[in-house]
Amino acid sequence: GQNIDQPTEMTATEGAIVQINCTYQTSGFNGLFWYQQHAGEAPTFLSYNVLDGLEEKGRFSSFLSRSKGYSYLLLKELQMKDSASYLCAVRDSNYQLIWGAGTKLIIKP
Amino acid sequence: ETGVTQTPRHLVMGMTNKKSLKCEQHLGHNAMYWYKQSAKKPLELMFVYSLEERVENNSVPSRFSPECPNSSHLFLHLHTLQPEDSALYLCASSQELLAGGQDEQFFGPGTRLTVL
């Protein structure tokens, strides 16, 4: 079966750096997405990786290793507004999105 | 604002009620999706429409009935629901179906449904 694993919850301190990992086992691979979802709000797109390596977007970076079935989202200079759930999703060989259960990130002052 | 709106935002209904969820996208996209989001579970894809034609129905019970009258609007009609159907129902759209590249999905804020 197809599976996406990510930690259920993480806690970090304001101003620090946090890395949220995502491992996947899917039928084929056509890209990996990260979304941010604040409580009670819509998931919003953060990043897309299809080739190995690091993609940087301001304070957020996303890394992909296709051979290891692994990605991470790196958040730097954490702010209180970064408290949210972070969803990892992989597009499989049928171009369907397979979703992880999300990682709830709690930022403490 | 993501360009996708959903109404109502909250809905409480009894098991014998009939209600409808509405989704509208203002992005000119050709594909629209209904998802169910339950606590601590992955998003479950329910229905997919491409150019107003249903192309995916992931074994969803018949008490959920989708309707897509045009490429901008999507409805989910609810009838005789069960308490386990209580969840957040999310609508999303994307430029195309089965597209490669960074054709991300844009989500609405969801309808929080409670079935008593």
Side-chain angles (χ1 to χ4, degrees):
Chain A
Q2 306 202 88
N3 194 51
I4 308 281
D5 284 317
Q6 46 181 136
T8 303
E9 188 174 298
M10 299 181 71
T11 302
T13 304
E14 191 176 15
I17 299 173
V18 71
Q19 178 176 308
I20 302 174
N21 295 326
C22 170
T23 57
Y24 62 89
Q25 293 174 304
T26 56
S27 302
F29 178 85
N30 280 298
L32 184 144
F33 296 82
W34 283 97
Y35 281 78
Q36 179 190 60
Q37 185 179 22
H38 286 101
E41 297 184 14
T44 54
F45 169 78
L46 284 179
S47 68
Y48 171 73
N49 294 71
V50 67
L51 299 176
D52 290 351
L54 189 68
E55 295 281 344
E56 297 187 75
K57 263 189 187 181
R59 294 189 298 114
F60 292 9
S61 302
S62 57
F63 172 83
L64 174 68
S65 169
R66 287 171 296 169
S67 62
K68 295 182 179 178
Y70 168 69
S71 173
Y72 67 73
L73 181 69
L74 191 71
L75 292 75
K76 302 177 185 175
E77 301 168 20
L78 285 170
Q79 302 174 10
M80 297 303 292
K81 68 178 182 180
D82 297 330
S83 292
S85 288
Y86 292 86
L87 311 180
C88 174
V90 172
R91 186 193 282 144
D92 69 9
S93 57
N94 293 320
Y95 290 89
Q96 298 288 343
L97 276 182
I98 311 301
W99 293 86
T103 298
K104 183 178 180 181
L105 178 63
I106 300 168
I107 309 297
K108 295 187 174 180
Chain B
E1 290 296 327
T2 62
V4 181
T5 58
Q6 289 187 244
T7 54
R9 293 293 308 274
H10 300 273
L11 178 62
V12 179
M13 58 188 290
M15 290 193 286
T16 58
N17 293 156
K18 287 184 182 180
K19 297 286 184 184
S20 296
L21 310 184
K22 180 182 176 182
C23 173
E24 183 174 0
Q25 57 98 358
H26 312 272
L27 302 167
H29 287 168
N30 291 323
M32 295 188 76
Y33 312 79
W34 277 118
Y35 284 95
K36 177 183 179 182
Q37 187 176 36
S38 303
K40 299 184 179 180
K41 290 185 177 180
L43 289 178
E44 298 175 44
L45 180 64
M46 300 175 72
F47 300 104
V48 180
Y49 277 83
S50 176
L51 296 171
E52 301 141 50
E53 286 196 23
R54 187 161 72 187
V55 296
E56 186 82 33
N57 173 358
N58 283 343
S59 303
V60 179
S62 59
R63 56 186 183 267
F64 296 91
S65 174
E67 178 189 1
C68 188
N70 55 62
S71 59
S72 298
H73 293 85
L74 189 62
F75 294 89
L76 188 62
H77 303 299
L78 315 173
H79 175 53
T80 322
L81 294 191
Q82 305 298 312
E84 60 264 28
D85 297 323
S86 297
L88 182 68
Y89 288 84
L90 291 165
C91 172
S93 70
S94 64
Q95 186 63 53
E96 301 293 341
L97 185 65
L98 304 181
Q102 187 184 300
D103 185 16
E104 73 266 31
Q105 293 182 13
F106 291 76
F107 286 83
T111 295
R112 174 66 63 186
L113 174 67
T114 303
V115 181
L116 301 176

